[in-house]
Amino acid sequence: MLDLLQKDNHVVVPKKKFNPRTGPSIELGLIGRNNALTFTGLCSEHDTELFKLADTLPLDTTNSKQLEQYAYRTVMMELHTCIEEGARFFKLDADQVKAGRVKPGEGGAIQMAGHFADRSWRLFRYRNRNFDTPLLKGEELPIEHRIITFEGQKPTLAVSSFFGLGSEENGDVIGVMLSVIPEAEKITAILSYATAQKEAITKAAPELFDDSGDLKKALSHTILRRVENFTLSPDFYDGWSDDKKKKVVEYFHKSAMTGEAPPEDAEFSLFD
């Protein structure tokens, strides 16, 4: 799907930066298309087997098995990311303890490692409950899909991301599996979620289920507020004013820290 977005084999993605003086920051910049929306948590054989319908067939929103593969990929990508981040912070803590900069169990890195370890465990439980167990039992997956299609829409972005909207009483994540698929003359957003969590999700994000509202605005704001893994067309991004580029990056960075919603009057559309 990135064929429709790329320019000279590059696309635009959020890129993390770190300055020792000013701390972490985010920018939107070019990356090779083969490195965008890439999930490397599986060997090529199993990746091909698990996502064959999503990767080799045109999008068919009546094909429940294909929709399930798109949804499953978002969970696998988020789980793999959290495991990687946790390992990175565990190593950082070990290095700091060895160098005598922090005491065992007291540094910020070990706190972040613990956060990602817990997040990984919650995602594993989510995957097991909604995918692995029913698949092994030969049962239908307990998930539903909301399909939003924008006809006559130029391909501007792609998304494959799982994001949380809260927690159940036992701490398990309440989440949305979001896939945004660009095609030549339309863009389709697939919001997948556990059937058991539908009420909680529609309550937490009613704007995504309001067909009378501005769904392009609702999706754009949701992506910038809650999603890390998205890809933009360079041609589309280059058409933004310098002011929009600045404000989008400023908000994206701020939302990563605070999670707050963007201003209602913000011109943050990710659609043409």
Side-chain angles (χ1 to χ4, degrees):
M1 60 183 172
L2 295 185
D3 285 343
L4 295 171
L5 300 183
Q6 62 87 26
K7 179 180 180 180
D8 298 328
N9 286 318
H10 285 76
V11 291
V12 174
V13 299
K15 301 171 75 173
K16 296 178 182 178
K17 298 175 63 180
F18 182 80
N19 185 307
R21 290 180 296 141
T22 60
S25 63
I26 298 172
E27 67 176 13
L28 291 174
L30 292 171
I31 190 174
R33 53 160 291 179
N34 291 333
N35 295 319
L37 293 181
T38 300
F39 170 57
T40 58
L42 297 170
C43 68
S44 60
E45 178 183 353
H46 287 100
D47 187 89
T48 300
E49 179 182 349
L50 283 173
F51 305 119
K52 183 177 181 178
L53 298 179
D55 288 342
T56 63
L57 297 180
L59 176 63
D60 178 1
T61 56
T62 66
N63 186 334
S64 62
K65 297 303 181 185
Q66 186 186 49
L67 297 181
E68 288 166 2
Q69 289 187 7
Y70 277 117
Y72 189 57
R73 172 173 274 159
T74 71
V75 178
M76 289 293 286
M77 290 178 72
E78 183 68 10
L79 175 58
H80 182 64
T81 296
C82 288
I83 291 172
E84 278 193 328
E85 288 293 298
R88 185 170 67 85
F89 279 111
F90 272 120
K91 182 180 185 305
L92 177 60
D93 176 71
D95 291 343
Q96 290 179 334
V97 170
K98 184 177 180 180
R101 289 192 288 269
V102 299
K103 295 181 180 179
E106 295 185 4
I110 197 62
Q111 303 302 319
M112 291 300 298
H115 164 76
F116 281 110
D118 180 72
R119 174 77 170 169
S120 299
W121 167 237
R122 298 297 178 183
L123 285 165
F124 176 80
R125 285 172 56 85
Y126 184 96
R127 191 192 74 179
N128 184 62
R129 179 173 60 185
N130 295 299
F131 291 95
D132 300 347
T133 296
L135 283 171
L136 287 171
K137 291 182 177 180
E139 299 173 350
E140 293 295 318
L141 300 189
I143 63 175
E144 298 181 22
H145 312 279
R146 169 163 166 71
I147 309 298
I148 302 172
T149 301
F150 300 117
E151 299 284 357
Q153 164 69 54
K154 294 180 181 179
T156 58
L157 82 157
V159 176
S160 180
S161 182
F162 178 96
F163 60 87
L165 287 174
S167 300
E168 297 180 356
E169 289 186 3
N170 65 357
D172 283 350
V173 63
I174 296 172
V176 172
M177 299 162 275
L178 175 62
S179 301
V180 179
I181 314 298
E183 296 179 83
E185 295 295 333
K186 67 179 179 180
I187 291 181
T188 302
I190 307 166
L191 288 84
S192 306
Y193 46 85
T195 300
Q197 296 180 346
K198 181 176 182 178
E199 182 177 354
I201 287 169
T202 55
K203 183 177 180 180
E207 67 277 5
L208 295 176
F209 295 84
D210 181 5
D211 288 329
S212 65
D214 187 341
L215 289 172
K216 287 185 178 180
K217 178 179 179 179
L219 278 166
S220 295
H221 285 194
T222 296
I223 291 166
L224 291 174
R225 181 183 182 184
R226 303 185 184 279
V227 169
E228 293 185 12
N229 193 29
F230 65 88
T231 300
L232 296 173
S233 158
D235 282 336
F236 174 62
Y237 177 72
D238 289 343
W240 290 6
S241 67
D242 289 341
D243 184 61
K244 179 177 179 178
K245 291 177 180 178
K246 178 182 177 183
K247 288 181 177 179
V248 166
V249 168
E250 286 177 346
Y251 170 71
F252 187 67
H253 177 72
K254 184 177 182 180
S255 69
M257 301 295 108
T258 67
E260 68 181 63
E264 273 300 310
D265 60 350
E267 295 293 334
F268 289 166
S269 180
L270 301 179
F271 300 87
D272 190 39

